[in-house]
Amino acid sequence: MRPTITMRMKTSDEALAQAASDGDSEAFGLLVRRHYDRLFRLSWRLTGHKADAEDLTHDILAALPAKLRGFRSDAKFTTWLYRVTLNAATDCARKAQRRVKARDGWGQDYTRRAAEAAETAQAQDWLTNAMRALPAELRETVALTLGEDLTQAQAAEVMGLSEGTIAWRMSEVKRHLREMATEEAR
């Protein structure tokens, strides 16, 4: 006899992930309902654009049934899902860069990126622009610690780094933001 929906709502993410990896579509659906907003929010922070975040989120969800077979229940499901999201965002960014370079060439790509950066600076607020100017690893760290409200220890677990590395990255973020504000004030 299958558990009722009410019983399933109380089931841990890890147990649902295991059931979903065994082909239980109801468990998969419940996982998606529980985590869609979190997944979309992180995707938006990583891509900076709603449409890109929607595409990334849908790509992740389409690949998730196969990826669940690799889920090890020794980690929290949310930690694993954050890692899947970070990897997918990195892969998308790499693919986009390759397409642009192949289509436009190096010089035209540089000109296009400069024009887009100027357009973006007018369309978005200062903090979003500052976040986009950060190196990818700092942006990922900020997205998890500030955007997703994870502790540095939790972010370290998601990223497979030491807590000290996360603390250093956050100090680098502060340094970058101070430098950007100083330059902008000139």
Side-chain angles (χ1 to χ4, degrees):
M1 184 168 112
R2 289 178 73 157
T4 65
I5 292 289
T6 305
M7 290 172 55
R8 286 230 166 175
M9 293 300 286
K10 297 176 183 177
T11 304
S12 73
D13 289 338
E14 293 73 22
L16 288 172
Q18 184 59 51
S21 73
D22 292 337
D24 185 335
S25 60
E26 189 177 311
F28 180 76
L30 187 52
L31 277 174
V32 170
R33 284 190 297 280
R34 280 186 187 176
H35 297 284
Y36 181 86
D37 290 342
R38 174 188 321 240
L39 179 63
F40 177 75
R41 204 173 45 239
L42 179 57
S43 295
W44 194 338
R45 285 188 179 103
L46 293 172
T47 63
H49 299 283
K50 183 179 180 184
D52 292 340
E54 289 169 344
D55 290 344
L56 179 61
T57 301
H58 292 151
D59 290 347
I60 292 167
L61 291 176
L64 201 56
K67 289 192 177 295
L68 278 169
R69 291 185 198 98
F71 173 68
R72 297 183 325 262
S73 56
D74 57 331
K76 282 182 60 178
F77 178 76
T78 51
T79 299
W80 177 82
L81 186 60
Y82 282 137
R83 184 75 253 163
V84 167
T85 305
L86 291 176
N87 289 343
T90 300
D91 290 346
C92 279
R94 284 183 190 143
K95 288 175 187 173
Q97 286 175 346
R98 282 194 301 267
R99 282 192 304 270
V100 167
K101 287 178 185 174
R103 185 188 69 217
D104 295 339
W106 287 98
Q108 291 174 344
D109 179 48
Y110 176 79
T111 303
R112 183 193 55 77
R113 282 186 289 146
E116 284 178 357
E119 194 174 285
T120 298
Q122 295 170 357
Q124 297 180 336
D125 64 14
W126 185 88
L127 186 55
T128 300
N129 287 326
M131 180 117 166
R132 293 177 111 192
L134 293 173
E137 66 274 1
L138 297 180
R139 193 170 50 246
E140 291 172 355
T141 304
V142 169
L144 290 173
T145 57
L146 299 179
E148 291 301 311
D149 207 21
L150 297 182
T151 65
Q152 289 184 1
Q154 291 168 327
E157 183 181 348
V158 168
M159 299 179 85
L161 301 170
S162 72
E163 192 172 346
T165 300
I166 299 299
W168 175 83
R169 284 183 177 183
M170 289 306 294
S171 70
E172 283 295 295
V173 167
K174 291 175 188 173
R175 184 181 64 77
H176 278 276
L177 292 177
R178 277 193 300 272
E179 288 174 2
M180 287 179 214
T182 301
E183 285 182 32
E184 195 172 282
R186 289 182 192 170

